[in-house]
Amino acid sequence: MLDISAYLGLFLAALLAATILPLQSEAALVGLLLSDAFAPWALLLVATTGNVLGSVINWLLGRSLERFRDRRWFPVSASGLARAQRGYQRYGRWSLLLSWVPLIGDPLTVIAGTLREPLWSFLLLVTLAKGARYLVLAALTLGWL
């Protein structure tokens, strides 16, 4: 039961950290890796899956965001949204390889949704980026490098 709780906790931490909520999942992953009670490959799979699904939530949010842009409560100005969209269009889908970067990664995934980035390319690039980040973190934590 403890194993399932640990994996579920890591999954939820990774999922929520990938949304626009200001959370981090790296500490949970490092703690579980250092406990030596779990297979590193399983932890990497769970963390990456949760983080990618959190980014999909952002992508879905972005797809429905446009219809609210004229509302008073909308959190981004029209010029700010246009600037973000121009930046994404300038660098294209390859900018999603930066989706792991704090502060810019989550907004990138939202903007990808507003610009109707196809789900297949979104999933491919975001999974590569986030999986590589967790793999490097695990390698540093466990002395693989």
Side-chain angles (χ1 to χ4, degrees), residues 32-102:
L32 291 170
L33 286 168
L34 291 175
S35 75
D36 207 29
F38 305 95
W41 66 267
L43 293 173
L44 291 172
L45 181 65
V46 168
T48 301
T49 302
N51 214 240
V52 170
L53 286 177
S55 293
V56 169
I57 291 170
N58 288 346
W59 180 84
L60 290 168
L61 180 66
R63 289 189 58 93
S64 62
L65 196 65
E66 284 290 315
R67 66 180 165 181
F68 299 113
R69 74 184 303 165
D70 296 325
R71 305 288 171 103
R72 182 185 314 202
W73 52 263
F74 195 73
V76 180
S77 68
S79 63
L81 184 59
R83 187 172 52 252
Q85 289 173 331
R86 279 193 309 273
Y88 185 84
Q89 287 171 331
R90 179 177 180 191
Y91 299 106
R93 65 178 45 134
W94 299 108
S95 63
L96 289 171
L97 291 173
L98 298 175
S99 62
W100 66 272
V101 178

